[in-house]
Amino acid sequence: MKRAIPVLVLSVAGLIPVWRYAPSPDTGPSSTVTEAAAPASTPSSSASGGTTSTVVSGSVIKTEKGPVQVEVTFEGEKISSVRMLQQPDHPQTTAAVPRLIEETLQAQSADIDTVSGATITSDGYKESLQAAVDAKG
């Protein structure tokens, strides 16, 4: 009887995370990991103070978690900023996006590491980013 109460308490404590788990709304057996849905947009340029900046949107990438699309601003040949136009509404994505953007600005390319815990979003981000870089030419 002395062991029954701790075993019962630990069993309930172990089941609480299972009860609280909420899967993503778009997950299912028919969804695909990455699938290009739209081509990259054409670059748009603007000149201010002698520096030419070009803004390019990457392809919309459909993932299990939701669509991913980036917009990249180039100052000449350098990536000066990256903005998410579309991203999954998921806690791991929200945490991963700043790291992905920071790595992009450091690497100046789509050759960046995947963020642990947000692999699907990271892969979609890199694919959309590469489409934007390719569209820039």
Side-chain angles (χ1 to χ4, degrees):
M1 188 66 182
K2 291 181 180 180
R3 294 184 192 177
I5 292 174
V7 168
L8 181 62
V9 169
L10 291 173
S11 296
V12 170
L15 288 174
I16 289 174
V18 174
W19 291 328
R20 294 184 51 120
Y21 176 75
S24 298
D26 292 339
T27 58
S30 64
S31 52
T32 57
V33 175
T34 58
E35 170 185 315
S41 68
T42 55
S44 61
S45 299
S46 65
S48 59
T51 305
T52 303
S53 84
T54 306
V55 178
V56 183
S57 296
S59 299
V60 177
I61 306 301
K62 290 186 179 183
T63 69
E64 291 176 10
K65 304 290 183 186
V68 177
Q69 184 182 23
V70 300
E71 178 183 81
V72 183
T73 303
F74 294 91
E75 297 290 335
E77 294 299 314
K78 184 179 176 190
I79 297 173
S80 61
S81 71
V82 180
R83 186 170 69 104
M84 293 293 284
L85 297 178
Q86 295 184 52
Q87 71 183 46
D89 184 24
H90 200 271
Q92 282 111 346
T93 298
T94 305
V97 167
R99 289 183 57 194
L100 291 167
I101 292 172
E102 180 181 331
E103 285 195 33
T104 301
L105 296 174
Q106 288 176 357
Q108 291 294 304
S109 73
D111 186 23
I112 59 174
D113 291 333
T114 298
V115 175
S116 178
T119 303
I120 293 170
T121 300
S122 296
D123 291 344
Y125 173 91
K126 290 191 287 186
E127 192 172 335
S128 183
L129 177 63
Q130 186 62 56
V133 170
D134 292 345
K136 163 72 166 77

